[in-house]
Amino acid sequence: MKPIAPIHYWHSPHLPGLELSHSHHREFSYGRHVHLDYHVGLVQRGGQKFIHKGNSHALVRGELSTVNPDEMHDGLSLLPEGYEVRVFSIDPATLANWLPGGEHFFDRALQRRPDLYAGFARLHMYLEDPLADGLLAQSTLLTLLGDLLHLAPCEHRLSDPQLRFLREHLLDRLDQPHSLEDLAALFGLDRFAFLRQFKKKSGMTPYAWLKRLRLERSKALLARGMAVSEVALTVGFFDQSHFHHGFRQAFGITPAQYRQQMQSFTSRGHP
């Protein structure tokens, strides 16, 4: 009997219907089998050899394997040293709820898209963090799946009044968590339609836009002399290191340095 390889399974609280796994295989192999869900897999070290619909494939770094429900396949190491693989397993009912247009199917077993490979790899590693942001996770996954499934480009965009309404809605609730579903419901849209219309209108993801709103508001609070730790919580950064990094990336200095400079300027008698 072959030894079972180290493997870790988990769920993200922000993405019900999605199972994640990260494993290092050497001698263990998957016999011929089917799944009830969709699988998106990516190898980070080594390579995997597998049979899919009677054809042999080699999965290596930079490529994605995509398997629909009920499609027979297997899997074993391509190299003697084994391989490291990350997998997204998506419940069909969940995928149908996330994306419009009924049932979807991957059109091939291997997707040679280095850009999507990098995106799925970053997201999978990000979802290992128990403090992962739900809005970022949902937006990223839906964007990647839309590209992977070749969904048609969005023809509509949010209007200027809708964008202003959303901005005020978020500014009043910066200290609260936000989900893609809740934001989409404000406009009577499903999550995927809202995401694509928002990106077409603003050129940003909802998460990136919200993060910028938080950083912009934080400047005003720091200028008034509020403590950095209090500002971080007030604008919705529950991890101060993320606030520090985001602020410095956006404005070139740390929150503490900005606060000190603004307070020093005021103390010299300037309004």
Side-chain angles (χ1 to χ4, degrees):
M1 181 176 178
K2 294 181 179 180
I4 297 177
I7 183 166
H8 175 54
Y9 291 95
W10 74 98
H11 288 99
S12 166
H14 307 298
L15 295 163
L18 173 69
E19 179 188 87
L20 299 141
S21 65
H22 181 203
S23 55
H24 299 76
H25 296 301
R26 186 168 183 176
E27 298 179 6
F28 179 75
S29 63
Y30 296 96
R32 295 192 176 190
H33 62 283
V34 297
H35 296 289
L36 299 177
D37 43 20
Y38 297 88
H39 275 210
V40 177
L42 57 101
V43 163
Q44 293 190 296
R45 287 186 295 178
Q48 183 194 59
K49 180 169 61 176
F50 67 99
I51 301 292
H52 177 264
K53 291 179 145 181
N55 297 314
S56 180
H57 302 277
L59 176 66
V60 295
R61 187 178 177 88
E63 299 177 335
L64 295 169
S65 69
T66 48
V67 181
N68 296 303
D70 301 317
E71 289 182 345
M72 189 278 294
H73 59 287
D74 63 5
L76 66 157
S77 182
L78 187 64
L79 303 171
E81 58 267 32
Y83 63 101
E84 176 186 358
V85 62
R86 294 178 178 271
V87 177
F88 296 81
S89 303
I90 309 168
D91 172 67
T94 299
L95 186 65
N97 182 43
W98 286 346
L99 302 178
E103 275 192 290
H104 298 283
F105 294 97
F106 299 122
D107 57 359
R108 57 181 70 96
L110 277 183
Q111 307 277 350
R112 292 179 175 86
R113 288 284 304 272
D115 57 333
L116 294 184
Y117 172 92
F120 275 106
R122 284 194 299 267
L123 176 60
H124 201 284
M125 290 185 284
Y126 179 65
L127 291 173
E128 290 180 331
D129 183 354
L131 298 177
D133 184 272
L135 182 59
L136 175 58
Q138 294 168 15
S139 300
T140 303
L141 181 59
L142 292 194
T143 298
L144 290 169
L145 288 172
D147 289 342
L148 192 58
L149 289 162
H150 313 294
L151 298 189
C154 177
E155 297 180 358
H156 305 286
R157 67 181 71 192
L158 296 179
S159 67
D160 289 334
Q162 286 176 317
L163 199 63
R164 288 194 294 269
F165 168 79
L166 181 59
R167 182 186 62 206
E168 296 308 312
H169 174 84
L170 292 173
L171 284 172
D172 288 342
R173 300 164 178 81
L174 290 178
D175 62 338
Q176 300 176 22
H178 297 277
S179 72
L180 200 57
E181 183 175 19
D182 289 342
L183 297 183
L186 294 172
F187 305 100
L189 297 171
D190 64 62
R191 282 170 285 194
F192 191 63
F194 168 75
L195 174 63
R196 303 221 295 183
Q197 289 193 34
F198 181 90
K199 288 181 69 176
K200 188 169 184 178
K201 176 64 179 178
S202 69
M204 305 171 71
T205 66
Y207 173 80
W209 199 61
L210 173 59
K211 182 178 180 180
R212 188 68 193 199
L213 292 179
R214 285 172 164 153
L215 291 171
E216 292 291 331
R217 176 60 59 80
S218 75
K219 288 177 69 179
L221 298 177
L222 290 167
R224 294 176 199 165
M226 186 181 288
V228 172
S229 59
E230 187 178 354
V231 171
L233 290 174
T234 299
V235 300
F237 284 93
F238 301 108
D239 184 326
Q240 284 197 49
S241 66
H242 288 166
F243 176 51
H244 179 96
H245 176 75
F247 193 97
R248 185 164 191 167
Q249 189 177 48
F251 307 118
I253 60 175
T254 68
Q257 289 170 334
Y258 179 82
R259 179 181 182 275
Q260 182 180 26
Q261 289 180 10
M262 297 302 288
Q263 290 295 294
S264 174
F265 184 80
T266 302
S267 67
R268 291 200 301 267
H270 294 277

